[in-house]
Amino acid sequence: MNFKSTRDKNNIVNFSQALFQGLAQDGGLFIPEETADLKDLFNSFTKDTSFVEIASKMTASLLSDTFTPRQAQKIAEKAYTFSPKIVNLNNDISILELFHGNSCAFKDYGASFLALAMETLLEEKEKKAVILTATSGDTGSAVAQAFVGKENIEVVILYPSGRVSPLQEKQLTTIGSNIKALEVEGSFDDCQRMVKEAFTDSDITQKINLSSANSINLGRLIPQSFYYAWAYSQIKDTYADTAFVVPSGNYGNLTAGLYAQSWGLEIKKYIAATNSNDVIPQYLKNGKYTPISSIHTISNAMDVGSPSNYERMSHLFNDDVNNFKSKISAYSISDENTKKIIAKIYDEERYIMCPHTAVGYGAAELYKQENPHTKMMVLSTAHPGKFTEVIEEVINVKPQLPEELKKLESREKVSTLISNDNKALKEYLLTTY
Ligand SMILES: *Cc1c(COP(=O)(O)O)cnc(C)c1O
């Protein structure tokens, strides 16, 4: 499979180029050039097919120009030392827990695959790369965990000093090895600006093979389709009519689901669940796409007012809102209702969910009112232990931190403080690598 830019169908690249370029040079996002047909493969999966096997076979089929089946299997085995779990709650609503990875959020699925794919390709070419990335918290920790110890890859993470949670900071600064944390005296926007500038500075790019690992990278998007295939194979014998509910911010997760569907996975409907950043629900309601400035909510990993993957979805649906509506329904859930849901599910089921997952659950209930016979699968995007403040406030119980994160509490923070100007980053990169 080759890939092309959303903005120029003649800008065609192979997987390796899409991976290391991240963004197309014309400013567009890379998308599959043609539609793959994986129907037979999907039909061959059963309840007993492991997640690693699904990941390995989908990789081998989709990326057969890039990886041999043997390489695909090695990538899947090494990337996925964790796997999803399904928890059945009441009335045909199930939770697809995607937070059993290293940073305890679903972003581990994309980041782990990206790291292994890059390591494999660099090894072949005997090249080295430096991954430069800015984070406001969660993305950076998934990337850091995924790349630790990878051969020929150095990672530099910029984060805004004092503006990430203490736990998030530990996740970024205690790993060591090939992961360097730069604590920037400024905002997340400063971090992003500095990273962008570095990519256009020829003094840096001539000396260092820079690459990015942000969420629009195809190497993170494609593997997010694997868990839809896994979850579907777990329930397909029991339910004919299923909808997957996706708590959404930048819409990478949902777009991956739409690709799986386009390759032949028989999911009837995707439900986009948002907090007050409701640009997609509004678009489906009135046909006008109007980005907004992001609104701060308690499900903060979804506080995105201008989702980048709208460009991919819109391409897939030929810019036609009716095509959108035939595949996606969308609901927005307020902070107040999100808290009510966390409380209700704890009360009824003794199950604790993170605020993002609760937004998904709220959307599932709304969809189910109109489609009572549909089996709902809600993607749970983060471990509740990462959001102790909100959860303790609502149910008066402190959720357990996952073991992976508990270990970090006693570790020493190691970071390099730098000022928020481009020269400081340039000097750091040129003297370190
Ligand atoms: C990133 C993130 C989301 C949003 O995912 P998108 O792919 O950007 O839509 C939802 N929940 C959590 C916990 C996240 O970290």
Side-chain angles (χ1 to χ4, degrees), residues 23 90 115 210 368 374 393 412:
L23 197 69
N90 50 30
L210 277 190
K368 216 164 166 51
T374 304
E393 177 204 321
E412 230 14 76

Side-chain angles (χ1 to χ4, degrees), residues 105-107 138 224 247-254 301-302 356 381-382 387:
F106 84 97
K107 290 188 174 75
D138 264 359
Q224 288 177 3
S248 292
N250 224 358
Y251 287 83
N253 205 358
L254 186 73
M302 313 198 305
H356 310 82
T381 50
F387 302 91

Side-chain angles (χ1 to χ4, degrees), residues 4 102 112 186 273 332 346 379 396:
K4 65 182 176 190
N102 303 316
S112 281
S332 160
Y346 181 68
L379 276 64
N396 230 342

Side-chain angles (χ1 to χ4, degrees), residues 104-107 138-139 215 220-221 224 246-255 299 301-302 304 309 354 356-357 380-383 386-387:
C104 305
F106 84 97
K107 290 188 174 75
D138 264 359
T139 305
S215 69
R220 285 181 54 178
L221 192 78
Q224 288 177 3
V246 191
S248 292
N250 224 358
Y251 287 83
N253 205 358
L254 186 73
T255 302
S299 47
M302 313 198 305
V304 181
N309 283 294
C354 91
H356 310 82
T357 309
S380 177
T381 50
H383 191 291
K386 296 180 90 170
F387 302 91

Side-chain angles (χ1 to χ4, degrees), residues 308-429:
S308 346
N309 283 294
Y310 171 74
E311 190 162 331
R312 281 190 172 114
M313 293 192 288
S314 162
H315 198 279
L316 194 65
F317 295 135
N318 275 325
D319 248 337
D320 182 343
V321 72
N322 290 317
N323 286 343
F324 251 99
K325 281 198 226 170
S326 70
K327 298 279 163 67
I328 300 176
S329 295
Y331 302 93
S332 160
I333 307 292
S334 67
D335 274 359
E336 197 191 332
N337 282 334
T338 305
K339 289 181 186 173
K340 279 189 190 150
I341 290 160
I342 294 172
K344 185 180 89 170
I345 304 304
Y346 181 68
D347 229 33
E348 290 173 359
E349 316 248 358
R350 285 291 176 267
Y351 183 82
I352 304 181
M353 51 177 64
C354 91
H356 310 82
T357 309
V359 167
Y361 192 91
E365 283 187 320
L366 292 175
Y367 183 78
K368 216 164 166 51
Q369 281 171 8
E370 274 151 38
N371 303 271
H373 303 298
T374 304
K375 166 75 187 172
M376 309 300 295
M377 182 68 78
V378 179
L379 276 64
S380 177
T381 50
H383 191 291
K386 296 180 90 170
F387 302 91
T388 39
E389 294 82 5
V390 177
I391 287 168
E392 217 179 342
E393 177 204 321
V394 176
I395 60 174
N396 230 342
V397 174
K398 194 172 172 158
Q400 283 286 317
L401 267 188
E403 286 304 321
E404 289 85 344
L405 300 184
K406 247 190 235 163
K407 288 190 298 215
L408 299 177
E409 285 186 317
S410 58
R411 292 217 196 129
E412 230 14 76
K413 155 182 161 181
V414 180
S415 67
T416 305
L417 198 64
I418 70 167
S419 67
N420 61 348
D421 83 347
N422 308 330
K423 276 199 222 111
L425 178 61
K426 181 170 179 170
E427 195 184 311
Y428 177 85
L429 290 172

Side-chain angles (χ1 to χ4, degrees), residues 191-366:
C191 298
Q192 272 194 312
R193 189 202 69 237
M194 290 161 74
V195 166
K196 256 196 193 148
E197 288 279 333
F199 276 94
T200 55
D201 185 327
S202 58
D203 292 344
I204 301 174
T205 55
Q206 274 171 14
K207 187 166 174 244
I208 301 170
N209 180 22
L210 277 190
S211 209
S212 79
N214 60 28
S215 69
I216 51 156
N217 195 306
L218 261 187
R220 285 181 54 178
L221 192 78
I222 287 180
Q224 288 177 3
S225 65
F226 303 160
Y227 44 73
Y228 290 97
W230 179 84
Y232 184 72
S233 65
Q234 292 292 310
I235 57 171
K236 68 178 174 185
D237 294 342
T238 326
Y239 299 96
D241 178 0
T242 51
F244 279 62
V245 187
V246 191
S248 292
N250 224 358
Y251 287 83
N253 205 358
L254 186 73
T255 302
L258 293 171
Y259 284 147
Q261 188 185 44
S262 78
W263 301 330
L265 196 67
E266 283 176 42
I267 291 172
K268 183 181 165 203
K269 198 93 182 186
Y270 285 95
I271 318 296
T274 75
N275 55 32
S276 304
N277 294 277
D278 63 347
V279 282
I280 296 294
Q282 287 299 334
Y283 169 62
L284 296 190
K285 206 178 281 171
N286 59 33
K288 274 206 228 88
Y289 178 69
T290 317
I292 56 171
S293 325
S294 64
I295 300 164
H296 180 69
T297 73
I298 56 169
S299 47
N300 59 2
M302 313 198 305
D303 294 348
V304 181
S306 176
S308 346
N309 283 294
Y310 171 74
E311 190 162 331
R312 281 190 172 114
M313 293 192 288
S314 162
H315 198 279
L316 194 65
F317 295 135
N318 275 325
D319 248 337
D320 182 343
V321 72
N322 290 317
N323 286 343
F324 251 99
K325 281 198 226 170
S326 70
K327 298 279 163 67
I328 300 176
S329 295
Y331 302 93
S332 160
I333 307 292
S334 67
D335 274 359
E336 197 191 332
N337 282 334
T338 305
K339 289 181 186 173
K340 279 189 190 150
I341 290 160
I342 294 172
K344 185 180 89 170
I345 304 304
Y346 181 68
D347 229 33
E348 290 173 359
E349 316 248 358
R350 285 291 176 267
Y351 183 82
I352 304 181
M353 51 177 64
C354 91
H356 310 82
T357 309
V359 167
Y361 192 91
E365 283 187 320
L366 292 175

